[in-house]
Amino acid sequence: MDKLLVHGGKKLQGTVHISGSKNASLPILAATLLTGETCIIRRVPDVSDTNYMIQILTALGAEVERSSGTVRITAGTISHDAPYEIVRKMRASICIMGPLVARLHKASVSLPGGCVIGDRPVDLHLKGLEALGATIDMEGGNMHIEAKDGLHGQECDLRGKHGPTVLGTDNMMMAAVLAKGKTVIESAACEPEVVDLANFLNKMGAKITGAGTRRIEIEGVEKLHGVDYTVIPDRIEAGTFMVAAAMAGCPEKGVTLNRVCQEDLKPSTAKLIEAGHSVEFNAKGTSCTVKPGQNPKGVNIVTAPFPGFPTDMQAQFTSLLAVTPGISVVEDTIFPQRFMHCAEMSRMGANIKVDNGTAVIQGGKKLSGAPVMASDLRASAALVLSGLCSEGTTEINRLYHIDRGYENIDDKLVMLGADIERVRE
């Protein structure tokens, strides 16, 4: 396994290009199963999660070619049976259920794996498919889903204990596009990645309205066709580099991010400005420059479904607030157990107390490099950010977590002036 050695103290400056969204790419890749025609998906990030999804599509019988961020998929003759050895590696693999049941009227999918960041049940996914007329049997960790007479439009409320489900909304939306009649999804997720999937499906010939609101309506169609589509920018990667600039940026020049969407970055932008840092977008909202503030201060954060503050940025902001003077409170209402990075940051000198889904941070402490262990995708990014501001060298193990969702994050940081080495254990 690889590990990162982050030698702290270097100031960041220059320009970084943000990759296409990992969380948008995964359901869009799965949605290509809805047609036998060729789909071309552009700006798919080269990360292990998208590689796993491509492996799943190939195992199902699709013809897949990948080159320089562009993936060409032709799902002519496909199987309904997804192999456990690949599905177990990634939670997002569950979003193949909707397309398979919609097109083949059946699917066999193992319960998925992924990051251990708390309770993420699949019950809402199954609730949506059952509402459309599918029957579900669980056997030996496998979900066998069947709709002998096809799927039929219905109304379903997908609200869960911690709010709307993004992948559950994706799954039901993909299943409903080929169902007979009208489907209404209440309490739908509003995330930009859901909107991107809806835009992709509509370009294929689907009839979806309301994406980006809590109520999505889908009029079923008989078939979909192939398309050429470009994935939106990754708002979490962009947010991570914005935090990196606030923590370790050159005060005079800062760091410029290209290929971003200002609207999608509003929650992170607002908290950075509240904390005293400078964020300036160009007129089109496709580029921004972040400079660290002269008098940064602590802030309070509560995660919430979009358009609230994203849980996927909680760990990175916890890292920022650990070196920011003052007391900050961070509460994660989406995944209350998602604070394993705090124990590792404490090894570096951070003063963080975690209790019942809330972290109280006494900021402004000097951090020192130490061997640390990544526990999940965003926690690993937070440890890299902490390492940039630490005295000495931070050794980050279990690097496979960060490679799930960040395309060449170490190379991009090195281009900005960071001193980082990737070494083989």
Side-chain angles (χ1 to χ4, degrees), residues 18-21 23-24 43 190-197 199 212 229-240 242 259-271 281 284-286 288 304-313 317:
I18 299 304
S19 300
S21 169
N23 287 340
R43 292 199 60 208
C190 299
E191 273 69 5
E193 296 80 12
V194 173
V195 177
D196 205 32
L197 173 62
N199 291 339
Y229 192 81
T230 301
V231 175
I232 60 171
D234 194 311
R235 63 190 172 105
I236 305 303
E237 184 196 21
T240 301
M242 292 170 78
R259 298 179 187 162
V260 302
C261 177
Q262 182 176 5
E263 190 70 21
D264 296 349
L265 292 171
K266 277 186 174 180
S268 295
T269 300
K271 283 300 174 183
F281 283 87
K284 293 182 178 179
T286 57
C288 70
F306 192 85
F309 189 89
T311 178
D312 277 354
M313 284 302 303
F317 268 82

Side-chain angles (χ1 to χ4, degrees), residues 4 15 27 115 140 165 192 226 265 286 288 292 302 331 333 350-351 388-389 396:
L4 278 189
T15 301
C115 280
T165 165
L265 292 171
T286 57
C288 70
V302 179
E331 180 183 0
T333 66
N351 187 343
L388 294 174
C389 293
I396 302 171

Side-chain angles (χ1 to χ4, degrees), residues 62 76 129 395:
L129 293 175
E395 178 185 303

Side-chain angles (χ1 to χ4, degrees), residues 286-344:
T286 57
S287 176
C288 70
T289 299
V290 182
K291 297 178 182 177
Q294 294 183 346
N295 298 295
K297 60 181 180 179
V299 298
N300 295 336
I301 291 173
V302 179
T303 68
F306 192 85
F309 189 89
T311 178
D312 277 354
M313 284 302 303
Q314 176 261 109
Q316 300 91 312
F317 268 82
T318 298
S319 181
L320 167 66
L321 297 173
V323 296
T324 301
I327 297 176
S328 300
V329 179
V330 178
E331 180 183 0
D332 199 325
T333 66
I334 310 298
F335 296 120
Q337 298 165 299
R338 197 178 194 175
F339 284 98
M340 286 181 279
H341 49 282
C342 293
E344 299 302 300

Side-chain angles (χ1 to χ4, degrees), residues 149-415:
D149 299 323
L151 297 174
H152 298 268
Q154 187 59 265
E155 185 168 323
C156 183
D157 192 310
L158 286 184
R159 182 167 182 82
K161 181 172 63 173
H162 298 298
T165 165
V166 174
L167 285 179
T169 300
D170 290 340
N171 242 333
M172 189 170 183
M173 192 161 57
M174 288 187 284
V177 292
L178 294 180
K180 296 175 183 177
K182 181 179 179 179
T183 297
V184 177
I185 304 175
E186 295 284 4
S187 302
C190 299
E191 273 69 5
E193 296 80 12
V194 173
V195 177
D196 205 32
L197 173 62
N199 291 339
F200 174 74
L201 292 169
N202 282 340
K203 194 170 182 181
M204 294 176 76
K207 296 180 179 179
I208 302 171
T209 57
T213 74
R214 293 288 179 226
R215 178 184 173 94
I216 298 176
E217 297 185 4
I218 306 114
E219 286 285 351
V221 298
E222 288 191 7
K223 66 177 297 185
L224 300 177
H225 55 75
V227 293
D228 189 323
Y229 192 81
T230 301
V231 175
I232 60 171
D234 194 311
R235 63 190 172 105
I236 305 303
E237 184 196 21
T240 301
F241 276 94
M242 292 170 78
V243 172
M247 293 178 69
C250 174
E252 296 79 20
K253 297 182 178 180
V255 173
T256 297
L257 286 69
N258 286 337
R259 298 179 187 162
V260 302
C261 177
Q262 182 176 5
E263 190 70 21
D264 296 349
L265 292 171
K266 277 186 174 180
S268 295
T269 300
K271 283 300 174 183
L272 282 174
I273 293 173
E274 184 184 344
H277 305 288
S278 169
V279 183
E280 294 185 0
F281 283 87
N282 66 357
K284 293 182 178 179
T286 57
S287 176
C288 70
T289 299
V290 182
K291 297 178 182 177
Q294 294 183 346
N295 298 295
K297 60 181 180 179
V299 298
N300 295 336
I301 291 173
V302 179
T303 68
F306 192 85
F309 189 89
T311 178
D312 277 354
M313 284 302 303
Q314 176 261 109
Q316 300 91 312
F317 268 82
T318 298
S319 181
L320 167 66
L321 297 173
V323 296
T324 301
I327 297 176
S328 300
V329 179
V330 178
E331 180 183 0
D332 199 325
T333 66
I334 310 298
F335 296 120
Q337 298 165 299
R338 197 178 194 175
F339 284 98
M340 286 181 279
H341 49 282
C342 293
E344 299 302 300
M345 289 167 58
S346 295
R347 288 170 44 78
M348 303 172 69
N351 187 343
I352 307 174
K353 299 291 187 292
V354 179
D355 182 47
N356 196 29
T358 300
V360 178
I361 306 163
Q362 178 66 61
K365 305 297 182 183
K366 285 190 176 181
L367 302 183
S368 300
V372 291
M373 197 78 71
S375 58
D376 63 72
L377 171 56
R378 307 307 172 185
S380 58
L383 295 176
V384 171
L385 298 179
S386 295
L388 294 174
C389 293
S390 297
E391 295 180 353
T393 298
T394 301
E395 178 185 303
I396 302 171
N397 296 282
R398 292 185 183 170
L399 202 57
Y400 58 84
H401 284 298
I402 204 166
D403 290 336
R404 284 189 47 235
Y406 288 94
E407 186 174 42
N408 305 321
I409 188 172
D410 44 336
D411 292 337
K412 289 181 177 181
L413 286 169
V414 167
M415 289 178 63

